[in-house]
Amino acid sequence: MAKRQDTKKFFENLSGAGKSIGVLTSGGDAQGMNAAVRAVVRMGIYVGAKVYFVHEGYQGMVDGGDNIEEASWESVSSMLQVGGTVIGSARCKEFRSHEGRLKAAHHLVQRDITNLCVIGGDGSLTGANLFREEWSGLLEELVQQGLIDEEAAQNNSELHIVGMVGSIDNDFCGTDMTIGTDSALHRIIEVVDAIMTTAQSHQRTFVLEVMGRHCGYLALVSALACGADWVLIPEMPPEDGWEEQMCQKLSESRSRGSRLNIIIVAEGAIDRQGKAITVNNVKDLVVSCLGFDTRVTILGHVQRGGTPSAFDRILASRMGVEAVLALLEASASTPACVVSLCGNQAVRLPLMECVQMTQDVQKAMDEKNFEEAVRLRGRSFENNLNTYKLLSYRKADSELPNEEDELPYNSSFNVAVLNVGAPAAGMNAAVRSAVRVGITEGHKMFAVNDGFEGFYKGQIKEIKWGDVGGWTGQGGSILGTKRTLPAKHLDKIAEQIRIHNINALLVIGGFEAFLGVMELSAAREKYNEFCVPMVMVPATVSNNIPGSDLSIGADTALNAITDTCDRIKQSASGTKRRVFIIETMGGYCGYLASVGGLAAGADAVYIYEEPFDIRDLQSNVEHLTEKMKTGIQRGLVLRNENSNENFTTDFIYQLYSEEGKGVFDCRKNVLGHMQQGGAPSPFDRNFGTKIAAKAIQWISRKLKDSYKEGKVFANTEDTACLLGMRRRAMVFQPVVQLKDQTDFIHRIPKEQWWLKLRPLMKILAKYKTSYDVSDSGQLEHVTRVRPKKVD
């Protein structure tokens, strides 16, 4: 163990003693900014630094006085679930002038603040960098004017800056997601779901305007997530003659039986000539061309409002802690950096490289070099756009390959899709995407009802393009799903594969789906029928599948947990001090409890993966009791359902009730199946859509490779895979190779990435803990040329 300690780098060695950190939010507000402020304050205090709020952004820095106030641990209590920014934000003209920056520098030096954490958009971050570059000059001026002495100038000679991007538009290059984007998508999708029901009733077309003056991310992803008929974004203006194409597509979808159309327009949408396309232009077009009853809805500032989603709270909390670490490690030679997320990995990037790239996008758009603009936006944006294009184009029947056409290989294969395990929100989005991409690729798609049980009973039928319309927003599993495993029914399943001539399988589901694909691939020796490409896509609220950091449905469940915890906490407002004991789902996997705890601001989280005994429980109770003696009124304790067979939820509730007598009272809640239900979150719709599209493209490649002498034969390891998200990429992994990484008794992976988020939660709940920072972001550079895709 000691040996491992040496190779790891623990941040106990990073002390903030004697340092002062200023934290400000600037520019347009975004949900999740408060979570970032809270994390910076608590992490800063934790490492021994002083932390100051700078109220009203740069304006507060220029005005000084009460606008710069020291923060305490309690001062950020219960702000995690609040939207907007509690410390205020303003757009500040004065800071753009030299005089303004001189005043700001004076006010910072008075308090020895030489570390700034700026949460805002690219304008705010560029301003911060300029401030840093001028710093030594500003100090000289202050000395000359007699406002500060030489000693003060000496002590504050270096200014360090770390940025976090808070912007709902997701318009900052170098980061996959900015703080607030996911919450804005939640608002948009809530509205679209609501509009769909009224549009359905009246057979209407709705044209929606979403925010994004220079960036089409919100429009693009919400179009993907709700299955919109058409989307208009600034980075990729439609081809000339798009008006006719759009109207043709709308009327085709109506003739196939759809009762509504949704068109999403980014507020900055333009045509190829750079002329603005407004929602009213689109409405007039539809009315004059098709005569459809058409309505316009402009979402406006609704998108900025409301509580932050679970994703934004976790993102902002992770970034806030990372920002403090980056400030502690900064030196005169390190450039100002932004902390951001790439895939599932925290990274640090030089601030000006990101700003430069963000400006290059605008330049490319001004020069009408739209392909370049899309490329500069980054891989996440590009993937979304490519998936949208794949799904939006339905080939006419005349264009589909004909039986008689002489093709180098039979491109019309039969591909079956099934759901296995417990239902998870987002499964239907994945099935819809698979069916449509499959049809576009020229395959015949078959739907299997009720998992492997329906498979052996022969509940298999062809599924067409129109059959999956409107599926993205539906919770649960429309195909039906069962936990039945295939091993006992191999004869009958093989027979069904023969009858329907199935050439490939896509299995979407949880741990049973993983076991099922393993059983089928193991049976290849005995049955030729199973020698077909098969791929599994993880979909389970528990997020307990080896080979993938995330699974479809987990984000929706996390949001259900955080929403409920918010309500439960609020239910106690006005009462005396109270602690809630909450039980979450997940089987033996502590993902929902741990990450939900981080998003809801829990004081303790009990999980199976981190064994605990009575002494731990005792110290948690004492810790809460101490906390309650300060101004904090409420405590939150989460327990995973299978964390310990003897320390049950009732036991923990009774223990806390007894030990907390006279200080706080207790209540308990078992969240139960509400974590599995509900409409899928934007993240799960989008993740399901993209991952299933990728799985079908893989199936097409494997079918092409394994088609010999008129039939498909695939029996190698790499033709029975699990498609998972690993750190920064989507990877196909042979299920056989995942065997060693799995604890089959407890149905969890042996190593789980999110365990490293647990110390974060403890720090934010005021526990002393060891936090391994060897995994924290090292400074990287923004990559422009991306490596070729690996299969």
Side-chain angles (χ1 to χ4, degrees):
M1 187 66 202
K3 198 168 153 213
R4 247 183 85 198
Q5 294 277 4
D6 301 337
T7 55
K8 289 196 168 187
K9 182 175 77 168
F10 286 92
F11 84 136
E12 282 81 319
N13 328 342
L14 292 173
S15 164
K19 295 190 175 179
S20 294
I21 300 172
V23 59
L24 68 145
T25 52
S26 168
D29 70 321
Q31 308 95 320
M33 278 182 167
N34 291 324
V37 171
R38 168 181 179 266
V40 170
V41 169
R42 292 196 166 171
M43 185 66 172
I45 292 173
Y46 185 87
V47 296
K50 277 185 169 179
V51 187
Y52 290 87
F53 291 133
V54 180
H55 292 282
E56 314 308 333
Y58 289 119
Q59 192 65 53
M61 206 189 289
V62 173
D63 296 344
D66 293 345
N67 287 308
I68 305 177
E69 69 159 328
E70 194 175 341
S72 68
W73 190 275
E74 290 74 33
S75 62
V76 291
S77 179
S78 68
M79 67 194 263
L80 186 63
Q81 63 267 34
V82 182
T85 162
V86 174
I87 57 175
S89 176
R91 302 192 191 271
C92 174
K93 278 220 177 79
E94 221 175 327
F95 191 75
R96 291 184 185 163
S97 71
H98 185 77
E99 287 70 40
R101 291 194 291 277
L102 191 65
K103 282 184 192 170
H106 184 204
H107 293 138
L108 292 184
V109 173
Q110 282 173 333
R111 295 167 180 80
D112 290 326
I113 299 172
T114 54
N115 295 282
L116 277 185
C117 182
V118 183
I119 307 164
D122 58 342
S124 311
L125 299 180
T126 314
N129 193 60
L130 175 65
F131 191 39
R132 181 189 175 188
E133 284 169 1
E134 292 182 351
W135 185 252
S136 51
L138 294 170
L139 293 193
E140 274 172 37
E141 273 184 69
L142 291 170
V143 171
Q144 281 162 11
Q145 294 179 15
L147 290 168
I148 61 171
D149 55 26
E150 281 290 350
E151 193 189 347
Q154 217 59 56
N155 294 344
N156 296 286
S157 60
E158 287 174 23
L159 179 68
H160 301 301
I161 282 176
V162 172
M164 281 186 265
V165 193
S167 152
I168 63 164
D169 294 344
N170 203 17
D171 55 359
F172 194 79
C173 292
T175 106
D176 278 359
M177 282 293 259
T178 58
I179 297 168
T181 307
D182 187 65
S183 302
L185 286 170
H186 272 260
R187 297 299 92 80
I188 295 169
I189 294 304
E190 283 158 17
V191 171
V192 176
D193 285 355
I195 277 174
M196 278 184 159
T197 54
T198 165
Q200 194 95 28
S201 314
H202 295 278
Q203 299 198 40
R204 279 188 179 143
T205 296
F206 269 87
V207 187
L208 304 172
E209 179 185 289
V210 301
M211 281 186 168
R213 268 197 312 263
H214 308 294
C215 179
Y217 186 88
L218 289 178
L220 179 59
V221 175
S222 49
L224 257 183
C226 69
D229 294 279
W230 201 263
V231 66
L232 294 158
I233 58 172
E235 289 87 348
M236 209 56 199
E239 300 292 340
D240 292 338
W242 62 274
E243 296 91 343
E244 237 166 86
Q245 259 180 313
M246 181 182 81
C247 291
Q248 190 185 340
K249 188 170 175 205
L250 298 181
S251 88
E252 264 180 28
S253 109
R254 288 287 174 106
S255 64
R256 278 202 306 276
S258 167
R259 291 177 58 89
L260 78 160
N261 304 107
I262 301 278
I263 301 165
I264 293 182
V265 185
E267 61 179 329
I270 47 172
D271 63 16
R272 291 264 155 187
Q273 279 60 55
K275 198 167 131 290
I277 301 175
T278 67
V279 273
N280 288 318
N281 298 149
V282 178
K283 175 193 167 175
D284 298 341
L285 182 70
V286 175
V287 171
S288 63
C289 182
L290 300 167
F292 290 170
D293 182 359
T294 308
R295 296 284 190 275
V296 165
T297 299
I298 296 175
L299 269 66
H301 282 76
V302 164
Q303 296 161 83
R304 279 196 193 282
T307 55
S309 65
F311 182 94
D312 272 331
R313 297 181 196 193
I314 293 152
L315 173 70
S317 300
R318 284 178 73 180
M319 284 191 185
V321 169
E322 185 69 36
V324 173
L325 294 176
L327 284 171
L328 293 185
E329 291 173 6
S331 68
S333 57
T334 49
C337 74
V338 283
V339 290
S340 98
L341 209 61
C342 181
N344 201 4
Q345 191 68 25
V347 293
R348 298 178 195 170
L349 300 162
L351 189 145
M352 287 321 287
E353 285 184 26
C354 297
V355 169
Q356 186 54 51
M357 200 156 151
T358 306
Q359 289 167 353
D360 288 351
V361 175
Q362 194 52 50
K363 198 168 144 225
M365 279 155 61
D366 294 341
E367 291 167 1
K368 301 192 171 46
N369 186 353
F370 298 111
E371 273 76 15
E372 177 68 1
V374 168
R375 203 178 62 73
L376 287 169
R377 274 271 180 249
R379 55 180 199 141
S380 157
F381 190 90
E382 218 171 348
N383 286 344
N384 284 317
L385 188 60
N386 292 338
T387 310
Y388 182 80
K389 285 178 179 168
L390 261 180
L391 288 166
S392 64
Y393 181 59
R394 178 180 184 270
K395 294 183 178 175
D397 294 331
S398 57
E399 291 178 73
L400 291 174
N402 208 334
E403 301 285 325
E404 288 79 55
D405 292 350
E406 281 300 310
L407 286 162
Y409 71 102
N410 171 8
S411 83
S412 179
F413 290 106
N414 294 348
V415 180
V417 184
L418 63 158
N419 290 160
V420 176
M427 276 182 163
N428 300 321
V431 172
R432 166 187 178 269
S433 167
V435 167
R436 292 196 170 176
V437 173
I439 291 170
T440 306
E441 303 249 305
H443 307 312
K444 230 184 196 170
M445 299 303 292
F446 286 83
V448 181
N449 295 113
D450 299 336
F452 288 116
E453 189 170 311
F455 211 142
Y456 81 80
K457 290 180 176 168
Q459 298 170 359
I460 304 168
K461 58 178 192 309
E462 192 185 343
I463 186 164
K464 296 276 208 325
W465 185 280
D467 298 338
V468 290
W471 276 30
T472 45
Q474 308 275 343
S477 161
I478 297 172
L479 290 183
T481 178
K482 286 262 165 60
R483 291 180 184 268
T484 315
L485 290 171
K488 292 178 182 161
H489 313 283
L490 292 172
D491 284 345
K492 286 182 175 170
I493 293 175
E495 187 189 351
Q496 290 300 331
I497 289 180
R498 265 199 316 280
I499 293 170
H500 296 278
N501 188 23
I502 302 293
N503 308 115
L505 287 182
L506 169 61
V507 185
I508 301 167
F511 206 82
E512 284 86 0
F514 171 59
L515 294 175
V517 172
M518 278 175 82
E519 290 177 2
L520 292 181
S521 72
R524 281 171 165 179
E525 289 169 19
K526 199 172 160 201
Y527 300 88
N528 272 351
E529 288 83 356
F530 300 138
C531 295
V532 294
M534 46 182 100
V535 60
M536 181 221 153
V537 165
T540 162
V541 295
S542 304
N543 195 23
N544 61 334
I545 308 296
S548 190
D549 289 355
L550 291 173
S551 49
I552 299 168
D555 184 69
T556 306
L558 275 181
N559 278 295
I561 292 169
T562 27
D563 288 352
T564 312
C565 288
D566 286 354
R567 289 186 183 193
I568 288 173
K569 270 168 132 177
Q570 204 175 21
S571 73
S573 65
T575 59
K576 59 186 193 308
R577 292 184 284 262
R578 180 165 285 174
V579 173
F580 292 97
I581 316 288
I582 295 173
E583 180 186 302
T584 68
M585 277 180 143
Y588 283 94
C589 176
Y591 176 81
L592 286 181
S594 296
V595 182
L598 186 58
D603 292 281
V605 175
Y606 301 117
I607 60 169
Y608 165 77
E609 292 90 343
E610 204 171 276
F612 55 99
D613 58 23
I614 195 74
R615 285 178 294 280
D616 297 314
L617 291 172
Q618 180 63 33
S619 77
N620 290 153
V621 176
E622 285 164 10
H623 187 263
L624 256 176
T625 315
E626 281 309 303
K627 247 195 202 170
M628 292 280 182
K629 287 177 185 165
T630 62
I632 290 172
Q633 293 287 318
R634 286 184 290 288
L636 195 60
V637 175
L638 268 59
R639 177 188 173 273
N640 159 273
E641 56 185 355
N642 291 345
S643 54
N644 186 305
E645 58 180 326
N646 296 316
F647 297 144
T648 60
T649 303
D650 283 337
F651 176 88
I652 291 176
Y653 163 67
Q654 285 161 351
L655 177 82
Y656 273 77
S657 299
E658 181 59 35
E659 295 291 320
K661 261 189 190 153
V663 184
F664 55 78
D665 63 356
C666 279
R667 294 285 184 276
K668 67 168 184 198
N669 281 73
V670 175
L671 298 184
H673 280 77
M674 56 157 280
Q675 296 161 84
Q676 265 183 7
S681 66
F683 182 91
D684 279 331
R685 298 181 192 197
N686 193 356
F687 184 51
T689 300
K690 284 200 286 197
I691 197 168
K694 209 172 169 71
I696 291 290
Q697 289 174 314
W698 176 87
I699 282 178
S700 298
R701 286 198 302 277
K702 291 292 174 195
L703 284 168
K704 198 172 178 175
D705 298 344
S706 57
Y707 186 71
K708 310 255 172 6
E709 295 157 20
K711 69 178 202 304
V712 172
F713 186 79
N715 67 344
T716 50
E717 278 186 7
D718 65 346
T719 55
C721 280
L722 178 147
L723 170 54
M725 181 174 155
R726 279 275 168 106
R727 283 194 159 205
R728 301 189 183 187
M730 302 270 235
V731 219
F732 290 92
Q733 302 143 97
V735 286
V736 184
Q737 292 174 19
L738 292 172
K739 248 185 188 156
D740 299 340
Q741 299 174 26
T742 312
D743 167 354
F744 286 99
I745 296 169
H746 298 102
R747 300 159 55 101
I748 51 175
K750 287 178 183 169
E751 288 201 359
Q752 311 200 65
W753 69 272
W754 49 264
L755 283 168
K756 67 173 193 279
L757 295 182
R758 281 182 64 83
L760 224 74
M761 184 194 73
K762 289 176 185 169
I763 289 169
L764 296 175
K766 216 173 183 172
Y767 281 92
K768 284 277 177 259
T769 181
S770 187
Y771 183 42
D772 173 14
V773 291
S774 47
D775 200 48
S776 75
Q778 300 310 309
L779 192 69
E780 301 181 14
H781 291 284
V782 178
T783 42
R784 300 210 165 207
V785 186
R786 289 191 324 286
K788 292 206 165 49
K789 283 185 184 158
V790 281
D791 178 29

